[in-house]
Amino acid sequence: MKTGIHPEYRSVVYRDRNADFAFLTRSTEASTRTIDWTDGTTYPVIDVQISAASHPFWTGRSRVLDTAGRIEKFRAKYAKFAK
């Protein structure tokens, strides 16, 4: 690999403020904000709008869509071309 062209790979905290959820991982993403983690170390923090803790699919709060109505609408729309 070439030296000097790759971003720094470091520990960062991703935080979902909507769900009050944060996790420590490694990333090349940079941030000027920091947070004190439970191990006593200060890490850069990256705030995200949605995570597995707040996404409706993963939390079980997802909506059920009326797919039967969509299928019937599709069939009615393209029935004239089926001749």
Side-chain angles (χ1 to χ4, degrees):
M1 290 194 315
K2 289 184 178 179
T3 58
I5 64 167
H6 301 285
E8 182 185 352
Y9 189 64
R10 62 185 154 283
S11 297
V12 295
V13 174
Y14 282 93
R15 177 174 54 187
D16 181 357
R17 289 191 169 206
N18 293 328
D20 194 29
F21 176 72
F23 59 94
L24 178 66
T25 188
R26 296 187 46 85
S27 177
T28 58
E29 194 166 359
S31 176
T32 57
R33 293 179 303 220
T34 60
I35 189 172
D36 293 325
W37 195 244
T38 56
D39 63 358
T41 308
T42 302
Y43 295 105
V45 64
I46 299 165
D47 291 323
V48 294
Q49 293 181 2
I50 196 161
S51 69
S54 62
H55 192 280
F57 180 79
W58 300 110
T59 59
R61 294 181 282 153
S62 62
R63 296 180 291 153
V64 176
L65 299 175
D66 180 25
T67 57
R70 290 183 184 185
I71 293 170
E72 295 304 320
K73 222 165 130 177
F74 177 83
R75 287 183 180 158
K77 184 176 181 179
Y78 292 102
K80 60 184 173 186
F81 298 114
K83 295 178 182 178

